[in-house]
Amino acid sequence: MKPATDLEHGLPLALMRIGRQLKAVTARTPDEAWAVLLLHKVRENGHCRVSELAAQAGLDTSTVSRHVARLEKNGHLERTEDPADRRASQLALTPRGRRMLKAATQARIDLIHQAVADWSEDELRTLCALTDRLAAALEEHVPGTES
């Protein structure tokens, strides 16, 4: 394939395949995949409102509200009073939510380690550097998608 064709077809498909594999190792259902994403976003922010979480996840508030309700019911998230506005609440990870997120993260790390076990140190450094560079460049072109 020519480099332009690789960029148009090969790379986007490869990135989607990678995403599917990483999701598959951490989630048995699409809801679990969203749960991991939302728990990750809450951990990044410390505490946040549902509307903020929805904006960061690129989802509508009603969809995130449904996922959050399940995460609360299962003991992964809890609501706390928003100190800036007592009428509102913020979301926080519970110890159970932290454990779920830690297990999902470790499963992904383990899968990646298995997949690249026979790669050289130079190949791994190149992969990490170029992947990070691509992620940063994509974030510049798609506002509001920073990790």
Side-chain angles (χ1 to χ4, degrees):
M1 277 189 177
K2 295 180 195 172
T5 304
D6 288 346
L7 277 178
E8 292 169 6
H9 302 289
L11 182 60
L13 291 174
L15 292 172
M16 286 188 286
R17 288 172 45 213
I18 291 166
R20 275 197 312 269
Q21 297 306 317
L22 292 175
K23 285 180 187 174
V25 77
T26 60
R28 295 176 303 266
T29 67
D31 281 348
E32 286 182 5
W34 285 114
V36 170
L37 171 70
L38 296 177
L39 292 175
H40 175 71
K41 293 291 183 187
V42 172
R43 182 184 67 191
E44 281 182 342
N45 293 306
H47 292 79
C48 63
R49 292 181 181 185
V50 171
S51 58
E52 294 166 340
L53 184 58
Q56 290 177 5
L59 298 168
D60 63 84
T61 303
S62 63
T63 299
V64 171
S65 292
R66 283 193 307 275
H67 288 298
V68 164
R70 268 187 240 120
L71 289 166
E72 282 182 287
K73 181 180 176 187
N74 294 329
H76 297 107
L77 287 177
E78 65 185 355
R79 289 184 188 263
T80 60
E81 187 177 275
D82 185 340
D85 181 355
R86 292 184 154 189
R87 297 168 296 168
S89 62
Q90 293 182 326
L91 300 169
L93 284 177
T94 64
R96 185 173 181 174
R98 281 190 213 33
R99 286 191 301 274
M100 179 185 186
L101 189 53
K102 184 177 180 180
T105 300
Q106 190 60 53
R108 289 175 178 186
I109 290 168
D110 292 347
L111 177 63
I112 292 168
H113 277 282
Q114 291 168 15
V116 299
D118 62 344
W119 292 28
S120 72
E121 287 293 320
D122 284 343
E123 288 172 319
L124 293 173
R125 274 197 276 306
T126 300
L127 172 68
C128 292
L130 291 175
T131 304
D132 189 55
R133 183 176 170 191
L134 176 60
L138 290 171
E139 288 169 350
E140 287 179 20
H141 290 84
V142 183
T145 62
E146 301 82 36
S147 38

